[in-house]
Amino acid sequence: DHPPHPGQNFTLELRVARVLKSGAYGADRPCPAGFETSTAKYVQPEDRLASRLIRTGWGGLQLPGDPDALRLLMERILPTGRCRWRDIQSPPLALGAPRRARLGWQLGDDGCQSAAIVEIEAAAIALPCAAPWYVDPDTYLAGPLEFDVPSGVIGAFLAAPPLDPVQAAAVGGVFDRDLGALALPRPRGDMVEEVRNAPLVPVLRLGNRRRQWGYWYPGRGTDDTVDIALFGPSYDGRVIDLAAAPQEMRWVDAGRLVVQRRDLAAERAAHRRLQKLGLGPVGDFTKQIGDGAYLALGLKDDAAGWPSFLYEAVPALEAEGWRIEFEDGFHHRVVDAGGEWTAAVSEGSGWWFSLDLGIDLDGERIPLLPVLTSLLRRVRDLGAEGSLDAIACNGVVFGTLPDGRHIALPLDRTKAILDTLVELYHPENLSPSGALTISAGEGAALAAIEAATRLRWLGGERLRALAQRLQAFSQIEPVAPPAGLRTELRLYQHHGLDWLQFLRAFDLGGILADDMGLGKTVETLAHILVEKREGRLDRPCLVVCPTSVVPNWCAEAARLAPELRVLSLHGPDRAQRFGEIANSDLVLTTYALLPRDADKLLAVEWHLAVLDEAQAIKNAATKATQIACQIQARHRLCLTGTPVENHLGELWSQFAFLMPGLLGDAKRFARVFRVPIEKRQDGARRAVLAGRLKPFLLRRTKAVVAADLPAKTEIVSPLELSGPQRDLYETVRLAMHEKVRQEVAAKGFARSRIVILDALLKLRQVCCDPRLVKLAAARKVSASAKLAHLMDMLPALVEDGRRILLFSQFTSMLDLIKPE
């Protein structure tokens, strides 16, 4: 009757229902069972319907009992064109002609009969009122219903309460005796009870529900849904309400009233079974139709708990006779990783490869690396105590597939892969397709466990061949020492020669890291001589060493392998000897000269490139290191007594020369190995690195090979003077030479010994340290080749735990050494 404000539209929705009155109640009286007590504070509703309307935001209007009043109401609403059926977008209802209908009794599942409109002409829908009307959704018509009984009786008949079998029989007698003239249908009075004792079948329905406002708490995120398990006891295929159902349940089956007795003890045992599996009360959520008969349960940790529950608990419950049902909205599904695992490998440049792990699930290949990456991210989030075992459950670890399903991965099989591919801790290393760039060392380790992980390889023949070579590391074939070698190799030196030949045979590089004095030079010369004797030395070998070691290489080669043609590219006149490289077997140069002669040395293809005292390239950023890594050679070798002096980055720098990519790039190596080992003392990561380097690094200490060593070994290290120290030596030598000649000429040799010894003394002092010489010119010179060489040797010896006796005939020299 009241028009809306201009420009304002609203919709009025009217719900018509017929309910049983329950008596007035208010704030001082209890509410009907099943309703919240908070509803009583609004009004004193007259029936259950009003209470329900208040809870849901509806206002309750009691329709008048006069049938003419309802007819007038409908006749005024319909002509407005604004009366629609269930959907405001549907066409408006129009007034239709009256339709015939019939009254009857409907039999409920509990065996009770309720008065109802059981048949309508043209299958329309009845509005349950005192003077019923119909709505036809197909034609959008509404109109009154006509019955074969007086209109004043219809409302009273429809208001009758439900009748159980005993009441139905009594009411039927009353109808026959007192109401026969009204032609009202009588309820059935012939229902037969059948008592059943069907066994309990627990039902667990897994679904998803929307959380109610305020359910979120820190850590859950913003997802407004929750996965729940709905538990209900079932008898003879019917799920009952734990809270509301009586001890005996009733329903109609084939015209018979079935009475089923509940097994309350079994129901409580089933509930306790779920509690032991970790299911407990869940927070408020919006219920759906049919949820009322079930008890809602949830897991404390949704994401981590459901996969293991589905993988272990669900099969166990099914084996015990439970019925498990899944709703479409349930987030979690678990699939078994029993399909074929494959490793697709494509080769990159150098020792780099691209790896794509996959698993076959129902004929579809699923990328496995993103799954493993997410697992390792979970392990990393656990902190220092994190491991795959911490997130595993009875030998299985659960990963998440892109479509949200969980895959049950065997722990041992997964661990074998992840222990090798430790870079997966960082998902940014994965390509968009799920492939991972790996180094040769990582891939070779993975290929080596091919049988254990049952991986089927697709491609990657070079990587698999490398793995097979490394597996043969413990089966190194002995090599006979070359006939032209002018010394007898000690046992450990012979093993060193065998190892060098193993590396050469499989195109691998390595670090010979024996203690100082054990004969690394001898083993290398023997190796080169074997190559020449076997006819493989069709190119020269290059040795890069410190300047002070060049004379030692020349002397050792001449003494031990005189048939090798040695060329020393050292000194100011070396440019004149570059043309002799092709006709040489062994070419010597220094780290200092490497950048200067790079254009000449990099243009040559060498058979073998050797870095002596390879710790000289421990800094990957230096020019000498960068040029050394560009040398073209079939084989590469590092010689050093101290492969690691300060940090593991020095080791990476040497392998960047030997086998680029074996340890990944510098940043990845630091992240995966340096930081965990050096800062966190990660023993597991240290073991991984040691295992990866074992075939490529041979280190023997004096203590290990003591039985093969003579009682005493003397090693003479010739040093070359340079710069101001060399100039001072020449100045003193020339001056003393003239003085000695004059003295001998004047007094004879026998009486000139003091002058001769004085000359030799000064020359020896210049060689030791110019500061020992009591000359004005010597005070300007501070460089000392011997002191510099000593300070290079001592740290390595001390690090090896050596006991050192340092001797000098000049106590003043010891005074100069002490501060250093």
Side-chain angles (χ1 to χ4, degrees), residues 292-530:
Y294 290 86
L295 176 64
L297 303 169
L299 288 174
K300 185 175 182 181
D301 188 349
D302 290 351
W306 281 117
S308 59
F309 181 85
L310 296 176
Y311 187 76
E312 291 192 322
V314 166
L317 292 175
E318 289 179 328
E320 296 169 10
W322 287 59
R323 190 171 84 231
I324 310 297
E325 301 172 353
F326 287 88
E327 296 180 359
D328 292 338
F330 187 64
H331 286 155
H332 302 279
R333 291 288 191 276
V334 173
V335 293
D336 189 71
E340 183 181 47
W341 292 32
T342 58
V345 179
S346 57
E347 296 190 10
S349 60
W351 293 92
W352 290 95
F353 301 85
S354 177
L355 174 68
D356 180 15
L357 294 181
I359 184 170
D360 182 76
L361 294 180
D362 299 326
E364 179 185 6
R365 188 177 187 275
I366 304 296
L368 192 57
L369 285 174
V371 178
L372 301 180
T373 300
S374 64
L375 283 178
L376 289 172
R377 191 185 305 116
R378 288 171 54 193
V379 170
R380 183 182 58 190
D381 292 342
L382 295 178
E385 302 300 325
S387 66
L388 274 182
D389 300 273
I391 62 174
C393 180
N394 292 335
V396 174
V397 62
F398 297 97
T400 304
L401 298 176
D403 60 5
R405 291 179 297 170
H406 304 282
I407 182 169
L409 302 167
L411 178 61
D412 293 341
R413 194 175 183 183
T414 306
K415 211 171 180 182
I417 296 176
L418 295 185
D419 285 347
T420 301
L421 301 178
V422 290
E423 285 78 4
L424 286 174
Y425 275 99
H426 292 266
E428 62 268 19
N429 292 334
L430 290 179
S431 69
S433 63
L436 178 70
T437 300
I438 62 173
S439 67
E442 297 148 0
L446 184 64
I449 59 172
E450 178 178 353
T453 57
R454 302 188 299 280
L455 279 173
R456 184 169 70 89
W457 286 81
L458 307 174
E461 286 75 12
R462 190 162 70 99
L463 187 63
R464 298 176 69 187
L466 174 62
Q468 294 172 357
R469 297 170 188 174
L470 299 184
Q471 284 180 308
F473 172 66
S474 59
Q475 304 171 357
I476 297 177
E477 297 293 333
V479 177
L485 188 66
R486 300 288 183 87
T487 186
E488 183 177 348
L489 295 178
R490 299 168 186 148
L491 181 61
Y492 71 87
Q493 291 175 335
H494 196 171
H495 291 165
L497 175 61
D498 298 339
W499 178 75
L500 292 174
Q501 285 293 304
F502 162 80
L503 294 180
R504 188 272 314 159
F506 290 107
D507 294 326
L508 303 174
I511 300 178
L512 182 57
D514 289 343
D515 266 359
M516 185 184 302
L518 292 187
K520 295 186 289 293
T521 304
V522 175
E523 295 171 57
T524 305
L525 290 172
H527 171 59
I528 296 174
L529 196 55
V530 169

Side-chain angles (χ1 to χ4, degrees), residues 196-214:
R196 294 181 183 176
N197 290 298
L200 166 70
V201 177
V203 177
L204 196 65
R205 181 151 55 99
L206 303 175
N208 183 272
R209 297 292 182 270
R210 186 173 298 277
R211 298 186 177 114
Q212 290 184 354
W213 182 259

Side-chain angles (χ1 to χ4, degrees), residues 721 725 766-771 782-789 813:
L721 301 183
Q725 187 178 15
V766 172
C767 289
C768 288
D769 194 299
R771 291 173 291 179
S782 60
S784 170
K786 281 192 175 184
L787 184 57
H789 182 66
M813 182 66 188

Side-chain angles (χ1 to χ4, degrees), residues 28 50 128 146 214 225 231 250 262 265 273-274 314 359 384 398 414 486-487 506 575 671 680 769:
D28 57 343
E146 295 179 346
T225 61
F231 164 64
R250 298 171 181 270
R262 293 171 59 186
R273 178 80 170 94
L274 295 179
V314 166
I359 184 170
F398 297 97
T414 306
R486 300 288 183 87
T487 186
F506 290 107
R671 183 180 66 236
R680 298 198 294 267
D769 194 299

Side-chain angles (χ1 to χ4, degrees), residues 227-340:
D227 290 302
I228 62 172
L230 298 169
F231 164 64
S234 169
Y235 296 92
D236 205 12
R238 294 174 176 268
V239 178
I240 66 166
D241 192 333
L242 279 168
Q247 188 163 351
E248 289 186 346
M249 300 178 300
R250 298 171 181 270
W251 67 85
V252 177
D253 184 11
R256 303 171 69 87
L257 180 61
V258 177
V259 179
Q260 170 67 49
R261 293 172 179 168
R262 293 171 59 186
D263 188 345
L264 298 180
E267 292 177 14
R268 288 191 292 267
H271 188 198
R272 288 194 299 269
R273 178 80 170 94
L274 295 179
Q275 290 175 326
K276 289 181 179 179
L277 293 174
L279 290 175
V282 69
D284 293 339
F285 59 90
T286 303
K287 293 185 178 180
Q288 296 181 357
I289 297 176
D291 288 352
Y294 290 86
L295 176 64
L297 303 169
L299 288 174
K300 185 175 182 181
D301 188 349
D302 290 351
W306 281 117
S308 59
F309 181 85
L310 296 176
Y311 187 76
E312 291 192 322
V314 166
L317 292 175
E318 289 179 328
E320 296 169 10
W322 287 59
R323 190 171 84 231
I324 310 297
E325 301 172 353
F326 287 88
E327 296 180 359
D328 292 338
F330 187 64
H331 286 155
H332 302 279
R333 291 288 191 276
V334 173
V335 293
D336 189 71
E340 183 181 47

Side-chain angles (χ1 to χ4, degrees), residues 547-559:
T547 303
S548 60
V549 183
V550 172
N552 182 65
W553 271 96
C554 293
E556 290 292 278
R559 182 174 67 88

